[in-house]
Amino acid sequence: MPRLPDRTGHFGEFGGRWVSETLMPALFELEEAYARIKRDPDFKRDLSQLLSEYVGRPTPLTHARRLSDDLGGAQIYLKREDLCHTGAHKINNTIGQILIAVRMGKKRIIAETGAGQHGVAAATASAHFGLPCEVFMGAEDVRRQALNVFRMKLLGASVRVVESGSRTLKDAMNEALRDWITNVETTFYMIGSAAGPHPYPMLVRDLQSVIGREARRQILSITGRLPDVLIACVGGGSNAIGLFHPFLQDPQVQLVGVEAAGHGISSGRHAATLSAGQPGVLHGARSYLLQDELGQVREAHSISAGLDYPGVGPEHSYLHEHGLARYVTATDEEALAALERLARTEGIIPALETAHAVAEVIRLAPTLPRESVIVVSLSGRGDKDMQSVAAARGVRLDSSATEGHS
């Protein structure tokens, strides 16, 4: 596999910089700064120290023995990003990006968020470095993720509620890009996924690849060999590409990304971009996206706010197009069932995003021999989703409704 992206920021036909001329200088500035900073021994030392002492890395690789026995097939290992500070993999990226922002002399941080975990991670990193932070979030996601909105505000960030469009992640990213164009001299845009214009897909991938590097060392130490399958959920795709990337030169390792099928692909109410979309341009990059017959971006749906996005990172589009990774789907109901099953077999409540990956594990593991090894990225914990899970199961979260409930 060639080393990607190329000098123009393309992964084959995907990626690039499809933005207005007013934003190009900021992207060139970031590209040049990142190329210089990532080679700086002081940056590497500071990032390594923060990941260890602040984020809590390395995260464990947990053998899910009861789930493995329950399914009666492959041995399942959980890469525990849910144990990172803030409760998800997003902090790996924001800590790296804020170190870059500080070295570039930027005085203000902006970010977009869907599930709220990137917003919390951006607010956390900004608080740690004493920088003001504004987080753009769609009104629908604000409703679904009230706990994370409160956490962001508690950390000192201001939350800009976006009422336009579908009022979800796509629209939050639109508004964040508009803000950046207006305030580019002083502002650093901390993109939350491996999407957007170059160099962001590369930068975020590089920062999240700590997941795969650790998982590789850990599984070799535990089993003496590489895994047969890697599985991760895919919205924009940062946790998945972070797990996959250190294994791309190992053709014997299957890479499986799981998208949100929502109410089912045939319903049209889903977020399965690679499974049911076509190539196009969204948020400054060419990638797969959900479009109607006129090429207009369609609204996405998932019970998971973090997967409720009509696009996907350009590197995932490249892996899909060239058959280097396989992309499947899980419905809302399958994700809910997977969340409950992991909770009851392993005592771990995953995020709804993660639960989509667990749903594929539940389907795939019984079809493989017992000596097979699956590593799945537990991208985040489920605290933030309890309101959505309870509503889907008809449970009211107050003392009178939950008393005696089992």
Side-chain angles (χ1 to χ4, degrees):
M1 178 178 171
R3 186 175 181 85
L4 297 173
D6 63 20
R7 291 184 178 181
T8 63
H10 284 84
F11 301 84
E13 68 179 276
F14 303 104
R17 295 186 183 96
W18 299 71
V19 297
S20 65
E21 289 185 7
T22 55
L23 201 50
M24 291 296 282
L27 292 170
F28 287 137
E29 179 192 23
L30 177 58
E31 181 184 17
E32 186 278 329
Y34 179 55
R36 182 184 72 254
I37 291 167
K38 71 180 180 180
R39 295 192 299 266
D40 182 351
D42 290 339
F43 170 76
K44 294 178 181 178
R45 181 202 64 221
D46 291 348
L47 178 58
S48 178
Q49 183 174 357
L50 282 165
L51 289 175
S52 172
E53 298 177 3
Y54 190 66
V55 175
R57 306 207 70 90
T59 58
L61 189 67
T62 300
H63 186 193
R65 289 182 175 85
R66 291 195 66 232
L67 182 61
S68 300
D69 290 344
D70 190 40
L71 294 173
Q75 299 306 298
I76 301 158
Y77 290 83
L78 313 173
K79 183 55 177 160
R80 300 294 304 281
E81 296 304 292
D82 59 312
L83 296 181
C84 288
H85 178 44
T86 72
H89 69 290
K90 295 292 188 181
I91 191 73
N92 304 323
N93 175 37
T94 62
I95 285 295
Q97 286 203 51
I98 205 159
L99 285 172
I100 295 167
V102 168
R103 282 164 167 76
M104 291 177 68
K106 302 300 182 180
K107 303 298 184 185
R108 172 177 174 258
I109 302 296
I110 61 170
E112 87 296 329
T113 196
Q117 284 301 130
H118 176 62
V120 169
T124 297
S126 298
H128 190 66
F129 279 82
L131 294 180
C133 177
E134 293 186 39
V135 180
F136 293 81
M137 192 172 188
E140 174 63 15
D141 292 336
V142 168
R143 180 190 66 78
R144 291 192 287 187
Q145 297 293 332
L147 175 61
N148 272 343
V149 172
F150 181 71
R151 292 171 74 195
M152 285 180 256
K153 292 179 178 178
L154 194 62
L155 288 158
S158 59
V159 178
R160 300 270 293 273
V161 181
V162 178
E163 298 283 358
S164 59
S166 60
R167 310 193 307 168
T168 56
L169 180 58
K170 169 178 69 73
D171 312 290
M173 198 166 185
N174 288 339
E175 291 303 318
L177 283 165
R178 291 189 187 102
D179 182 286
W180 194 29
I181 291 170
T182 305
N183 301 289
V184 71
E185 290 295 323
T186 60
T187 297
F188 187 95
Y189 179 19
M190 192 178 281
I191 284 183
S193 197
H198 181 66
Y200 280 107
M202 173 183 68
L203 189 159
V204 175
R205 176 202 69 195
D206 291 351
L207 293 172
Q208 290 293 4
S209 288
V210 65
I211 302 170
R213 292 195 303 271
E214 286 180 6
R216 187 186 184 90
R217 289 194 300 268
Q218 290 166 326
I219 200 66
L220 284 170
S221 175
I222 294 167
T223 68
R225 67 180 185 89
L226 294 176
D228 297 285
V229 187
L230 301 177
I231 300 178
C233 62
V234 176
S238 65
N239 101 93
I241 205 64
L243 178 64
F244 293 172
H245 194 258
F247 294 87
L248 286 178
Q249 303 304 321
D250 302 297
Q252 72 272 34
V253 180
Q254 296 180 48
L255 311 179
V256 182
V258 188
E259 298 187 294
H263 296 310
I265 301 297
S266 62
S267 73
R269 296 276 292 153
H270 61 81
T273 306
L274 291 167
S275 303
Q278 302 86 33
V281 175
L282 178 66
H283 294 143
R286 180 174 171 81
S287 66
Y288 271 74
L289 58 140
L290 300 179
Q291 308 171 72
D292 63 19
E293 59 277 5
L294 298 177
Q296 298 299 306
V297 178
R298 287 174 39 203
E299 291 187 11
H301 164 77
S302 173
I303 191 172
S304 162
L307 302 185
D308 195 357
Y309 181 60
V312 67
E315 190 161 7
H316 284 294
S317 296
Y318 175 85
L319 296 178
H320 169 68
E321 190 83 357
H322 291 269
L324 298 170
R326 182 166 61 91
Y327 295 88
V328 298
T329 65
T331 64
D332 289 351
E333 184 54 42
E334 287 171 329
L336 285 164
L339 182 149
E340 293 166 348
R341 191 160 187 175
L342 186 63
R344 292 175 182 180
T345 56
E346 296 294 339
I348 298 171
I349 302 175
L352 278 169
E353 291 83 5
T354 293
H356 287 72
V358 177
E360 175 60 16
V361 171
I362 291 169
R363 286 194 295 252
L364 181 62
T367 72
L368 300 176
R370 286 191 65 82
E371 64 271 18
S372 298
V373 173
I374 295 174
V375 172
V376 57
S377 176
L378 244 64
S379 57
R381 67 178 185 239
D383 308 34
K384 66 182 178 60
D385 293 316
M386 291 303 96
Q387 184 173 336
S388 295
V389 173
R393 291 297 187 237
V395 177
R396 284 175 39 235
L397 293 183
D398 59 48
S399 58
S400 61
T402 58
E403 193 171 300
H405 178 76
S406 61

